[in-house]
Amino acid sequence: MTLTEIARRASMPVSSVHGIAHQLADEGLLERGRGTFMLGVKLWEIAIRAPGTFGLRQAALRPMERAHALIGHHVQLGILSQSEMLYIERLSSDDPVVNFTKIGGRLPWYRTSSGILLVALGDPDVRARLMDESPRPGWPSMPMDEASMRQWLRRVEHNRFVVSEGFVHPDATSIAVPIMSPWNSAVAALAAVVPSQGTDVEHVVATLRRAAREAGQGLADTLTRDDA
């Protein structure tokens, strides 16, 4: 962004933003372009070491690789960030089914199997708030009406996995399972994006669940070592 764009987004005077942006650039948190600023490498380095990203990704990567080898299509790892799914890792094949997610990318929670899963298994107050904030007539539509979505969330809470067909693309189905923390909370979703036709859903769910258990144990071991 240019300094003017940053100032407008931050609701601050350009003169103030000028000094702050150049100071952040000197520290490596931003990088200067031709009349613009972008996120710096040092900022990325700090962020990726956060427990919610680096530790989780590290714990999940090998189980994801094994699951990916068995499933043969996209396998991705995401966390719920406010009202959106944030994807922190993705493995793909040479000829995968269509998938619009990308590492570091975001999608509205109600448009993804992972988001629906984490909202269903999360704090009831957060679930109620997100449903209250969900699109209404005149907004980009949800994939189903509000009553159906609430019913589905209750069913997901019981089943602890999600199969969503054609939410993002008619040829793609997304299947998601939770990665549980040592405190029995769903901290992330492990998902596969597979063809809507010809997929053995039970096999994919079982494969993802096995990988999610391994990732959860790896995360628990990491947290135990950090505490020590």
Side-chain angles (χ1 to χ4, degrees), residues 1 35 59 76 92 100 117 126 132 144 155 159 169 172 174 179 193 195 200 226 228:
M1 293 183 178
Q76 53 202 32
S92 298
F100 295 131
L117 177 79
V126 173
D132 288 342
M144 59 182 64
R155 189 163 65 248
N159 294 335
H169 191 279
S174 181
I179 295 177
V193 181
D200 184 344
D226 289 345

Side-chain angles (χ1 to χ4, degrees), residues 18-202:
H18 179 277
I20 295 171
H22 281 280
Q23 184 178 358
L24 292 174
D26 291 340
E27 296 292 334
L29 299 175
L30 294 180
E31 292 183 6
R32 300 178 183 90
R34 292 187 176 181
T36 62
F37 287 83
M38 63 191 75
L39 299 182
V41 172
K42 189 173 182 180
L43 182 61
W44 171 84
E45 182 182 1
I46 293 170
I48 202 169
R49 295 183 186 277
T53 54
F54 180 74
L56 176 61
R57 178 187 175 278
Q58 188 177 41
L61 188 54
R62 286 192 177 180
M64 285 180 67
E65 290 172 342
R66 288 190 283 270
H68 178 251
L70 292 171
I71 294 170
H73 290 277
H74 302 286
V75 174
Q76 53 202 32
L77 176 68
I79 58 175
L80 188 65
S81 177
Q82 298 179 335
S83 63
E84 297 174 311
M85 277 304 301
L86 171 62
Y87 293 93
I88 60 178
E89 185 56 88
R90 191 182 89 173
L91 304 177
S92 298
S93 300
D94 292 336
D95 188 25
V97 69
V98 64
N99 183 7
F100 295 131
T101 64
K102 60 182 180 180
I103 298 174
R106 292 173 177 261
L107 286 172
W109 72 268
Y110 53 83
R111 278 291 180 184
T112 71
S113 61
S114 296
I116 291 166
L117 177 79
L118 294 181
V119 169
L121 298 181
D123 186 285
D125 291 338
V126 173
R127 184 193 316 172
R129 176 178 60 79
L130 290 176
M131 283 301 300
D132 288 342
E133 295 173 354
S134 63
R136 294 296 188 268
W139 291 54
S141 62
M142 295 177 70
M144 59 182 64
D145 62 52
E146 181 178 339
S148 298
M149 178 63 81
R150 291 185 184 277
Q151 184 179 15
W152 196 19
L153 289 172
R154 290 192 294 269
R155 189 163 65 248
V156 169
E157 185 178 15
H158 174 74
N159 294 335
R160 304 183 73 80
F161 73 92
V162 172
V163 178
S164 62
E165 183 176 345
F167 270 32
V168 176
H169 191 279
D171 295 334
T173 290
S174 181
I175 302 170
V177 303
I179 295 177
M180 306 302 293
S181 75
W183 303 278
N184 202 35
S185 60
V187 294
L190 187 60
V193 181
V194 297
S196 295
Q197 301 295 324
T199 294
D200 184 344
V201 172
E202 291 185 3

